[in-house]
Each structure stands twice: as structure tokens, then as C-alpha cells.
Amino acid sequence: MSKTEGPPEGWSPARSTALYQIAGWGEPYFSINAQGHVEVRPDPRLERRIDLFDLVQDLEARGLNLPLLIRFSDILADRIRRLNEAFAKAISEYNYDGTYQGVYPVKVNQQRHVVEEIVEFGRPWNYGLEAGSKPELLIALAASQDPGGLIICNGYKDENYIETAILAKGFDKTVIIVLERIEELDIAFKASEKLGIRPTLGVRAKLTAKGIGRWADSAGDRAKFGLTATEIVEVIDRLQAKGMLDCLQLLHFHIGSQISSIRPIKTALREATHIFVELARMGAPMKYFDVGGGLAVDYDGSKTDFHASRNYDIQEYASDVVSAVHEACKDANVTPPTLVSESGRAIVAHQSCLVFEVVGVSEVPIVEPELPGPGSNKILRDLYEAFTGVTSQNVQEAWHDASQAKEEAFTLFKLGYLSMRERAEAERLFWACCGKFLNIVRRLQTVPEELQDLEKVMAAIFYCNFSVFQSAPDSWAIDQLFPIMPIHRLDEEPTRRGTIADLTCDSDGCIDHFIDVQDVKNVLELHPYDPTKPYYLGLFLNGAYQEILGDLHNLFGDTNCVHVQLGREGYHVAHVVKGDSITEVLHYVQYNPESMVESVRRQAERALRNGQISLAQVRLLMRHYEDSLTAYTYLARNE
Ligand SMILES: *Cc1c(COP(=O)(O)O)cnc(C)c1O
């Protein structure tokens, strides 16, 4: 591509900061330093920073190959602190006569080291855990060693789940069983009779108020979860009949995840606080008001109600919850409850980023065209004319001429009037035109609609050593946007525009939607690729949901993962979780690698006997086969 005219003052890290919106989505943890590298400030209370590029090189030197998931424990601690401090501030501002006791929903990231860190960092605030299934309850019971935090049991439950929860309440924990379906009440009655322990119960209300965006249907009359008003009244009556109304202490609702606008949150709070005071009036000793999850993350940094963003911050959220409950309880003369939120995404999204490497680029070939010879086809001369004659005034017309000439060239070829060489020349001329048009279009104030796609048509494909399905499944499944950018060379102008393709042989294994201030970009600004030097990209804010939803498409397994903690000086690697080896992923799909080796060896021996392969070749084949079994599933860099 002929080079874009550089800006007069040259490129700078500050221009990269603006281009990649890092101040919007990265604050206060990620920024760009004077070397043009992404820099991490894991604990915003301290000045200490980690150069992400240097860190990756350091980790690679320890044999931790890319793709690499890096977790910053101090960011996780900061997220928990922020949420708790926001509620504390709101509680004191409103003189609210109750406390906040959040729980972390285990489903958002169940990795042991993450959950253990959450329990540790949350201890000062009695931060608890939320389970959405039986396996998650088992995690919650094992992970919360001290009785401080709540354990909230959501999800569909069987006898075993409910009995386990009731028994755990029996020793020292505050375990609350939230009824999601009316049938669970019968199971709870039976279990409590059998065990002689009274359960602490909650009800999940099916609100009329709906969320927004992708998860809007988590609430509303036809929602999958929760009890209708009729069912809640039935729960009250049946509890009363059994003399167990004192067991009902919590109201729960959840209107979906990534609620990008504060409006539906306020509406839901209004409805839920009414249900709460009604429950109290009907005689239940209501102690907890649980607002569920939904606190959103600003993935694109735009601070709008766009689905990848949010138009409010944690403080506004906390203040709205506190004030709504405060008002409702004051008006109804009901004791203010302990406030509970189940914020997952907002706690764990920021703490991790994936770093991966570009392994190759496919670009539209652009060469300076030569004047077609005297006897050449008119089509070629037309294309050449479009190339030489284009100006910023007539670019749209030149685009029409060039596109038409290209179409005609293909028709002539099909009819046998154009040779293969002439067709190739037409293609080269057309791409040369597009390159020149694009340079003009990029400098226009307003771009005619039909030329807006030129950027996408001309985009390079950057092939990268990772799997979208394993590391960013929501990018594929629900078009979720994550901030993606180079982690170095940010003092250099990114003159290329590209999309990202992963290693899988699946055309869906690509990323062609990127964050933008306005809407969404189809191409990402990247640097010219030099195969002799590493070029690292980072995918940020991927700590929520991605790891567990990730799959083994093409048998690309879990990536290597490290936990980095700030030390007294610099940082240290607290845990290394090695990614899957090929043997491990083969076991997941029921292969036995030993018998696979045997099978290949037998075939090689046969080929050797038949003289199809030499002894040295057999040895090399078996060595590659056996070495690969213990290797990482991703590409290894050539040494
Ligand atoms: C998924 C879920 C959460 C977490 O939601 P976030 O949007 O990640 O905060 C909380 N509570 C329940 C019941 C959930 O299903």
C-alpha cells in the first residue's frame, strides 16, 4: 500500500492513547507509556506500574509460551474494594440504617485461584459467594473458610443440593436458599423435616421490569427464572401454615447481565422494593435485599448506553440501590435490610488480559502500475486511467469507473476474450486503484456511503496464534466487543488496517468488530508486520465468562495462565497454570495417546518393511509424534 501522508508532527503514544480509546476502557489500570508500550497499574492507589511488553518477554523467557492469559491479582483486589467502598459511601450519605454484603457469583469465573483470591481480598468486607448450581455450591462451601460472608444458593435445585445447603447452615455459615421455582419449597420442607434444621430462604421474584440488550429476557413475565406474584403469595401462605414464615428472609431479582443503561435498573428497583415491603408487611422477617448481577463493564470506553458500554458508574449504581431501598423502607416503616449484590462481570472482567502473537499477514497486493502496452485491451487502459486520473474531487466517479472495468474484465475472461495474464493485470490495476482511492478517502471530511466499505475491502488479515473459540467465545457467539490493541510499537503510526483471524480452520474464527467511540469499527489499526520480529496484541477485559465458555474447537486447549502480583519491588509470579498439552486435549475426547503412538509405529514399521520410508525417517516421525503429545496445542515459534 502506498504510504499515507504522515501527520506533520509525527506519531506519538498520546495519539495511540486516543486511537485505541484506552483511557476510556482502561482507566485506571491500563495506559500507554513513553516507550510506546501498554502499561499496567494494578493498584491505582500506588504509583507502581508494570510494562506489559517487558512482562511478556520476561514470562516467555521462563518458558511460558503465547498465547498467555495474564491475571493481575491487585486489579481484582481493587475491583472488590471499589464496589464495597461505593456502597459504604452511599450508605453513609443516605444515613442508611443497614449494611452492604456483596456476593461473588462463582459462575462468572470459577477458576480456583480466582475464587480463592476473591475470598481473601473480600474478607475485610465480609464479601461472600453465590452459587448457581450444585458444583458451584461445593466450590463456595470449600472456598469460604470463615463464617463472615453470605452464601447465596441460586439455580435449579434437587434434594441433594438443598440438603447440602441446609446442613452447611447447620454448622457455621449463613447459607440462603433462594427459591427459583415453587417446587423447590416442597423439597426444602422435606429436607428441613428430615434434618431437623430450619433453612434460611429467599424468593426470586419475576419482575415485570425488563433489562436491556442481550439479556433482557432474564426478567419479565415469561422469564425462565423466578416466582410470579401469585407464587410468592403461595410461598408465604404455605410457610405460615407450617409455622415457618420466619425462615423467609431474602428477596432476590436479577434482570440480566451487562445492563448498559441505568434506567431499567431504577425501574426494577422501584418494583422490587415494593415487593420487599409487602413481604415484610405479610409477616416475613425480611433481612436481605438482593439486587442480583447486571452491573456493566465499559468495554468500549464510550460511557454510553451502547451494549458494549454503560452510562453510569459503580457509585451511581450503589447510590441508586441504597436510596431506593432507603426511601421504600422509610415510607413503609420497615426495617432496612442488608443490601446484597451479585456483581460478577464488574468484579472479574478487568483482572485478566490475553496476549497473543501475529504469525502472518495477508494483504491485498499493491504495486505501482505500469502503462499498459499499445496493443493491450481497452479495459486495462480504462483501469490505468482511473488510477492516474483520480483526485479528491472525482474519487467517487473514479471508483465507479474502476469497479465497472473490473467487472467487465471478468466477463471478458469468462468469454475467452482476455488471457489469464491480462486478467491478472486487471486485478493488479484494480487493487492499485483501490489503494489510491483509500488514501484519498481517509483524508475526506465526509465519505460517500459507497466508499465507506473500501477500508474493509482493502483490510489485511492478521493471522494470530490463538483461538477465538477458546479465549474469546463471546466475540464469536454473541458479537461481544473486547478492546484489542498492540501492546507495543505504540509510538509508531499504525498504517495498516486489518481484521484478526485465529488458528482454527473455521471462517467464524475471526474478529472483525472492534470498539469505536461512535459505533463499531470493521477494521483495527495495526502496524506493518515484520516476520523477523514479534508483534504482540492484547485482548483486554476478558476475565468474565470467557474462560469457562471457551471450547476445544480444533482441539486448541486452555492457554497458559499466570497470576502476577505487585511485590515490594516490581512484581512476582504467584501462580502458573500451564495450558493444556495435546495429550490432555486428546484425553478429553477419549483418545489414548499411548495406543495412538503404537498405531502410528506399527504403520511406520510396515512402510519400512515395504521400503517406502527410511529408518531415519521413521525415527524422525516418531520423535515428532511423541514430542507433540507433550507440547502446547498452539503454534510454537521457530527457534
Ligand atoms: C449471571 C448471574 C449473576 C452475575 O451477573 P453479572 O452481570 O456478571 O454481574 C448474578 N446473579 C445471577 C442470578 C446470575 O444468574
Side-chain angles (χ1 to χ4, degrees), residues 279-333:
L279 288 173
R281 279 190 183 134
M282 285 189 273
M286 298 302 289
K287 253 172 85 175
Y288 302 98
F289 184 82
D290 178 353
V291 300
L295 179 54
V297 166
D298 194 358
Y299 291 98
D300 71 7
S302 66
K303 301 187 169 42
T304 60
D305 66 1
F306 187 58
H307 62 79
S309 187
R310 52 165 165 67
N311 67 0
Y312 60 94
D313 62 10
I314 295 186
Q315 189 59 60
E316 182 177 352
Y317 178 79
S319 299
D320 282 355
V321 172
V322 173
S323 69
V325 180
H326 181 63
E327 292 299 319
C329 289
K330 205 170 63 185
D331 292 349
N333 205 11

Side-chain angles (χ1 to χ4, degrees), residues 67 91 145 200 309 343 346 360 378 410 435 451 458 561 567 578 581:
I91 282 173
Q145 300 271 342
T200 307
S309 187
S343 314
K378 179 173 175 299
F410 289 163
L451 292 176
M458 297 290 291
C561 170
K578 286 288 268 185
S581 68

